[in-house]
Amino acid sequence: MNTCPEQIVHNMHAYLDGDISPDDELQLNKHLAECVECRMLMEELSIPITFIRKAESVQAPIGFVDGVMARLPKEKPQAGVQR
Amino acid sequence: MDDLVNKRINEVLKGNQDAFEEIVTLFQHRLYHICYRMLNNAQEAEDIAQEAFVRAYINIHTFDQKRKFSTWLFRIATNLCIDRIRKKKPDYYLDANVPGTEGLTMYSQIAADDELPEDKVEQMETQERIHYEIGKLPDKYRSVIILRYIEELPLQEIGDILELPLGTVKTRVHRGRAALRKQLSNL
């Protein structure tokens, strides 16, 4: 059983959300360095993120920009200005 | 970059359509990538990403130049994607019978709602597998997970794009991670 303070788990989630204060991050790292159980939990929580970050960047197909330009209405966009 | 974008926007506002081309060129890959991950289909992603640029062009006079252009543009695109996903659902079975899939890659043929047998999923290559698992996420989690972990955007910006309060974004990121973890552990 994990007997570490709840705040640590809370900080793990905050870290993974990308929403942790520098102080909390420091505290978390310090704790992870000395607690194997929390390190394992952190690894477990990181699995989906590690997985999704492997997604390769996908580029727009060739001709994309020309496609957009061809779809634009011919007149200038001033509807809002006229009103 | 925002200065350059605003400069081009002002030219577009003066009637210079060509200035918009530079804006499209700048943002095309990021916008396409978001649509591709949201819709899980290359052809639809191209259509919706192009449509998003067209809508941005038509409504450019409503853009507040004190704000970030990418946030505004991504909002238009994610709204279009969500609309498309919702419209698509009822026709899903009809779609499944239409064979017209020339030119589509294997990735794009995996429909988001398809549940594959476990052994098949295990055999998938990494990129194919990522594509499949993202597609299986419920769309309200899919959008935040894509913006957070693929686009690496801060929570506040994701809230601005999806027009959600910060607390809701946090909950969804959290639940989205849990949902993905569960999908991955089923194997």
Side-chain angles (χ1 to χ4, degrees), chain B residues 37-53:
Chain B
R37 296 296 176 190
M38 285 287 288
L39 298 164
N40 256 12
N41 177 303
Q43 283 194 337
E44 281 190 335
E46 182 172 7
D47 180 39
I48 293 291
Q50 288 189 339
E51 181 63 23
F53 278 117

mmCIF file of all heavy atoms in Angstrom, chain B residues 37-53:
data_model
loop_
_atom_site.group_PDB
_atom_site.id
_atom_site.type_symbol
_atom_site.label_atom_id
_atom_site.label_comp_id
_atom_site.label_asym_id
_atom_site.label_seq_id
_atom_site.Cartn_x
_atom_site.Cartn_y
_atom_site.Cartn_z
ATOM 1 N N ARG B 37 -6.027 14.047 -36.701
ATOM 2 C CA ARG B 37 -6.155 13.270 -35.456
ATOM 3 C C ARG B 37 -7.585 13.261 -34.945
ATOM 4 O O ARG B 37 -8.045 12.277 -34.379
ATOM 5 C CB ARG B 37 -5.224 13.836 -34.375
ATOM 6 C CG ARG B 37 -3.739 13.722 -34.702
ATOM 7 C CD ARG B 37 -3.290 12.287 -34.794
ATOM 8 N NE ARG B 37 -1.892 12.158 -35.207
ATOM 9 C CZ ARG B 37 -1.336 10.995 -35.533
ATOM 10 N NH1 ARG B 37 -2.049 9.884 -35.523
ATOM 11 N NH2 ARG B 37 -0.080 10.947 -35.895
ATOM 12 N N MET B 38 -8.280 14.362 -35.122
ATOM 13 C CA MET B 38 -9.679 14.433 -34.653
ATOM 14 C C MET B 38 -10.572 13.508 -35.475
ATOM 15 O O MET B 38 -11.440 12.826 -34.947
ATOM 16 C CB MET B 38 -10.228 15.868 -34.786
ATOM 17 C CG MET B 38 -9.736 16.848 -33.756
ATOM 18 S SD MET B 38 -10.450 16.598 -32.128
ATOM 19 C CE MET B 38 -12.141 17.157 -32.366
ATOM 20 N N LEU B 39 -10.368 13.518 -36.797
ATOM 21 C CA LEU B 39 -11.288 12.806 -37.693
ATOM 22 C C LEU B 39 -10.786 11.418 -38.063
ATOM 23 O O LEU B 39 -11.549 10.585 -38.543
ATOM 24 C CB LEU B 39 -11.514 13.631 -38.968
ATOM 25 C CG LEU B 39 -12.166 14.988 -38.735
ATOM 26 C CD1 LEU B 39 -12.003 15.883 -39.949
ATOM 27 C CD2 LEU B 39 -13.643 14.823 -38.387
ATOM 28 N N ASN B 40 -9.492 11.218 -37.860
ATOM 29 C CA ASN B 40 -8.890 9.915 -38.160
ATOM 30 C C ASN B 40 -9.070 9.480 -39.608
ATOM 31 O O ASN B 40 -9.239 8.294 -39.890
ATOM 32 C CB ASN B 40 -9.476 8.848 -37.234
ATOM 33 C CG ASN B 40 -8.485 8.476 -36.150
ATOM 34 O OD1 ASN B 40 -7.484 9.163 -35.977
ATOM 35 N ND2 ASN B 40 -8.739 7.399 -35.460
ATOM 36 N N ASN B 41 -9.056 10.448 -40.482
ATOM 37 C CA ASN B 41 -9.287 10.134 -41.885
ATOM 38 C C ASN B 41 -8.646 11.228 -42.724
ATOM 39 O O ASN B 41 -8.935 12.415 -42.546
ATOM 40 C CB ASN B 41 -10.805 10.070 -42.116
ATOM 41 C CG ASN B 41 -11.167 9.826 -43.563
ATOM 42 O OD1 ASN B 41 -10.770 10.585 -44.454
ATOM 43 N ND2 ASN B 41 -11.924 8.781 -43.796
ATOM 44 N N ALA B 42 -7.752 10.840 -43.635
ATOM 45 C CA ALA B 42 -6.960 11.815 -44.370
ATOM 46 C C ALA B 42 -7.810 12.709 -45.276
ATOM 47 O O ALA B 42 -7.620 13.923 -45.317
ATOM 48 C CB ALA B 42 -5.892 11.096 -45.188
ATOM 49 N N GLN B 43 -8.757 12.096 -45.987
ATOM 50 C CA GLN B 43 -9.558 12.895 -46.929
ATOM 51 C C GLN B 43 -10.455 13.891 -46.203
ATOM 52 O O GLN B 43 -10.569 15.056 -46.598
ATOM 53 C CB GLN B 43 -10.415 11.973 -47.792
ATOM 54 C CG GLN B 43 -9.596 11.315 -48.883
ATOM 55 C CD GLN B 43 -10.452 10.666 -49.944
ATOM 56 O OE1 GLN B 43 -11.615 10.320 -49.688
ATOM 57 N NE2 GLN B 43 -9.893 10.485 -51.120
ATOM 58 N N GLU B 44 -11.087 13.419 -45.138
ATOM 59 C CA GLU B 44 -11.949 14.324 -44.367
ATOM 60 C C GLU B 44 -11.135 15.422 -43.710
ATOM 61 O O GLU B 44 -11.580 16.568 -43.631
ATOM 62 C CB GLU B 44 -12.692 13.536 -43.291
ATOM 63 C CG GLU B 44 -13.869 12.784 -43.844
ATOM 64 C CD GLU B 44 -14.732 12.214 -42.730
ATOM 65 O OE1 GLU B 44 -14.216 11.993 -41.622
ATOM 66 O OE2 GLU B 44 -15.917 12.002 -42.995
ATOM 67 N N ALA B 45 -9.946 15.072 -43.249
ATOM 68 C CA ALA B 45 -9.093 16.070 -42.602
ATOM 69 C C ALA B 45 -8.730 17.174 -43.589
ATOM 70 O O ALA B 45 -8.764 18.354 -43.252
ATOM 71 C CB ALA B 45 -7.827 15.410 -42.057
ATOM 72 N N GLU B 46 -8.419 16.801 -44.821
ATOM 73 C CA GLU B 46 -8.078 17.807 -45.828
ATOM 74 C C GLU B 46 -9.281 18.714 -46.090
ATOM 75 O O GLU B 46 -9.157 19.936 -46.117
ATOM 76 C CB GLU B 46 -7.626 17.132 -47.124
ATOM 77 C CG GLU B 46 -7.215 18.150 -48.183
ATOM 78 C CD GLU B 46 -6.580 17.533 -49.424
ATOM 79 O OE1 GLU B 46 -6.575 16.293 -49.544
ATOM 80 O OE2 GLU B 46 -6.094 18.313 -50.261
ATOM 81 N N ASP B 47 -10.435 18.108 -46.237
ATOM 82 C CA ASP B 47 -11.647 18.875 -46.519
ATOM 83 C C ASP B 47 -11.967 19.846 -45.376
ATOM 84 O O ASP B 47 -12.194 21.041 -45.598
ATOM 85 C CB ASP B 47 -12.812 17.891 -46.738
ATOM 86 C CG ASP B 47 -14.109 18.621 -47.033
ATOM 87 O OD1 ASP B 47 -14.067 19.629 -47.752
ATOM 88 O OD2 ASP B 47 -15.167 18.187 -46.530
ATOM 89 N N ILE B 48 -11.940 19.331 -44.151
ATOM 90 C CA ILE B 48 -12.322 20.161 -43.006
ATOM 91 C C ILE B 48 -11.265 21.231 -42.720
ATOM 92 O O ILE B 48 -11.593 22.370 -42.401
ATOM 93 C CB ILE B 48 -12.561 19.273 -41.754
ATOM 94 C CG1 ILE B 48 -13.797 18.372 -41.971
ATOM 95 C CG2 ILE B 48 -12.717 20.111 -40.496
ATOM 96 C CD1 ILE B 48 -15.124 19.099 -42.003
ATOM 97 N N ALA B 49 -9.998 20.881 -42.858
ATOM 98 C CA ALA B 49 -8.939 21.870 -42.610
ATOM 99 C C ALA B 49 -9.027 22.995 -43.649
ATOM 100 O O ALA B 49 -8.872 24.170 -43.324
ATOM 101 C CB ALA B 49 -7.566 21.205 -42.644
ATOM 102 N N GLN B 50 -9.318 22.634 -44.888
ATOM 103 C CA GLN B 50 -9.466 23.675 -45.921
ATOM 104 C C GLN B 50 -10.693 24.542 -45.627
ATOM 105 O O GLN B 50 -10.649 25.765 -45.741
ATOM 106 C CB GLN B 50 -9.579 23.034 -47.305
ATOM 107 C CG GLN B 50 -8.243 22.458 -47.776
ATOM 108 C CD GLN B 50 -8.239 22.014 -49.223
ATOM 109 O OE1 GLN B 50 -9.298 21.768 -49.800
ATOM 110 N NE2 GLN B 50 -7.059 21.905 -49.808
ATOM 111 N N GLU B 51 -11.761 23.887 -45.244
ATOM 112 C CA GLU B 51 -12.986 24.620 -44.903
ATOM 113 C C GLU B 51 -12.733 25.594 -43.746
ATOM 114 O O GLU B 51 -13.238 26.722 -43.743
ATOM 115 C CB GLU B 51 -14.097 23.619 -44.540
ATOM 116 C CG GLU B 51 -15.443 24.235 -44.179
ATOM 117 C CD GLU B 51 -16.100 25.004 -45.310
ATOM 118 O OE1 GLU B 51 -15.768 24.727 -46.490
ATOM 119 O OE2 GLU B 51 -16.923 25.897 -45.021
ATOM 120 N N ALA B 52 -11.931 25.146 -42.770
ATOM 121 C CA ALA B 52 -11.618 26.018 -41.625
ATOM 122 C C ALA B 52 -10.904 27.288 -42.100
ATOM 123 O O ALA B 52 -11.217 28.397 -41.644
ATOM 124 C CB ALA B 52 -10.764 25.271 -40.611
ATOM 125 N N PHE B 53 -9.972 27.141 -43.030
ATOM 126 C CA PHE B 53 -9.282 28.324 -43.565
ATOM 127 C C PHE B 53 -10.248 29.230 -44.332
ATOM 128 O O PHE B 53 -10.168 30.454 -44.243
ATOM 129 C CB PHE B 53 -8.121 27.906 -44.483
ATOM 130 C CG PHE B 53 -6.864 27.550 -43.744
ATOM 131 C CD1 PHE B 53 -6.334 26.269 -43.795
ATOM 132 C CD2 PHE B 53 -6.186 28.508 -42.994
ATOM 133 C CE1 PHE B 53 -5.167 25.937 -43.126
ATOM 134 C CE2 PHE B 53 -5.002 28.197 -42.314
ATOM 135 C CZ PHE B 53 -4.504 26.906 -42.375
#
